[in-house]
Amino acid sequence: MLVIVVPTIFAILAFAFWFRASNPKARYQPDFVYSGRVEMVVWAIPALTVILLGGVAWIGSHQLDPAAPVPGTGSPVRIQAVSLDWKWLFIYPDQRIATVNTLTVPAGAELNFQLTSSSVMNTFFIPQLGSMIYTMNGMVTKLNLRADNEGKLQGLSAHFSGDGFPDMMFDVNVISPLAFPDWVATTAKTDAVLNEESYKKLMQQGIEKGRPTYRLDDPRLFDLIATQHIPSGPGPELISDAGRPHSGGHDAR
């Protein structure tokens, strides 16, 4: 703004000083109509300003694109996230495992997320990694992240989705790249299997207090969810009496 405002103020003062009545050198041209030089200056300044601001916006928006690659060390990790009512399902298609309400990733690796929703719109958010992106039913959203330091982070939903919304949290465990294969091998030994049948039970409305893990039976499960080959959930339903109308009440509509 100062690049525009300051020269304009100086130009006003300079013109007022130069074209004062007591200055005999100032030319008085009452019949002046057109000057190519004046037109060039008048149009060049706003044009250069638009080009400058447009360039900054173009470069910045592409740098901040959630789907832009985030270089990391080692092999990238694909993670497919599904927001349920009211829990998070994380599918590792390459490792053939899945987890609920817990996300385990290797430090420094490029994390390629694909996100969708089983019913209503939701928001995937890990504040320490600076991400916030919507999950929508029938749509896949891409997000690339990287966790540099080992430790435990907290993920959450940032979009209200019903009574169980406050408990829609998930743990993010950032572990050593050397420990990640061991975690995958241990998780794959679970007896629980995630397939279309068990997913339909999991997607039922409810709060998951535990951190269950699954062996992934069908690596196409996420695609079936995103393309709605598996019917979407009904969405949040009122499960408490706090919002129910009292008997004899009138409809405000």
Side-chain angles (χ1 to χ4, degrees), residues 244-250:
R244 298 186 186 278
H246 297 288
S247 57
H250 299 284

Side-chain angles (χ1 to χ4, degrees):
M1 290 295 294
L2 292 178
V3 172
I4 301 173
V5 172
V6 172
T8 302
I9 294 175
F10 276 109
I12 292 173
L13 297 176
F15 272 76
F17 176 77
W18 180 256
F19 290 103
R20 68 190 187 278
S22 60
N23 183 12
K25 296 182 180 180
R27 290 183 296 172
Y28 177 63
Q29 297 176 294
D31 298 326
F32 174 82
V33 176
Y34 176 80
S35 170
R37 294 180 179 178
V38 173
E39 289 287 334
M40 180 177 294
V41 173
V42 169
W43 287 105
I45 293 176
L48 291 174
T49 302
V50 171
I51 293 173
L52 173 64
L53 297 179
V56 172
W58 176 274
I59 295 172
S61 60
H62 281 78
Q63 289 177 338
L64 297 175
D65 182 7
V70 179
T73 57
S75 301
V77 179
R78 283 201 306 148
I79 304 170
Q80 298 167 333
V82 183
S83 58
L84 308 170
D85 298 324
W86 293 279
K87 57 188 82 74
W88 288 94
L89 171 64
F90 298 104
I91 301 173
Y92 298 76
D94 298 327
Q95 289 75 24
R96 301 292 293 265
I97 59 174
T99 60
V100 175
N101 287 346
T102 181
L103 175 64
T104 302
V105 297
E110 180 180 349
L111 308 177
N112 304 139
F113 284 92
Q114 292 177 291
L115 304 105
T116 191
S117 173
S118 68
S119 58
V120 298
M121 181 184 296
N122 227 300
T123 305
F124 177 85
F125 188 25
I126 306 175
Q128 293 89 339
L129 300 185
S131 64
M132 179 187 288
I133 193 165
Y134 280 98
T135 64
M136 288 167 274
N137 183 247
M139 177 177 175
V140 176
T141 308
K142 294 183 179 180
L143 174 67
N144 291 325
L145 297 176
R146 187 185 68 223
D148 293 324
N149 303 312
E150 297 179 29
K152 188 172 183 178
L153 308 178
Q154 184 69 64
L156 52 91
S157 168
H159 189 88
F160 182 74
S161 58
D163 285 0
F165 164 74
D167 295 302
M168 199 168 172
M169 317 270 292
F170 60 93
D171 298 327
V172 182
N173 301 310
V174 184
I175 61 177
S176 167
L178 299 177
F180 184 72
D182 296 334
W183 173 80
V184 171
T186 302
T187 305
K189 295 178 181 178
T190 180
D191 294 331
V193 177
L194 181 64
N195 49 31
E196 185 173 343
E197 182 181 351
S198 57
Y199 169 76
K200 289 180 179 180
K201 295 179 180 179
L202 185 64
M203 69 182 292
Q204 293 178 3
Q205 187 183 67
I207 299 171
E208 181 62 59
K209 295 297 185 181
R211 298 291 187 267
T213 58
Y214 298 89
R215 286 184 290 108
L216 183 62
D217 184 48
D218 186 357
R220 301 174 304 161
L221 181 63
F222 180 83
D223 295 331
L224 296 176
I225 298 170
T227 56
Q228 298 181 329
H229 281 79
I230 299 178
S232 58
E237 300 173 355
L238 196 61
I239 60 174
S240 68
D241 294 331
R244 298 186 186 278
H246 297 288
S247 57
H250 299 284
D251 191 339
R253 294 173 294 179

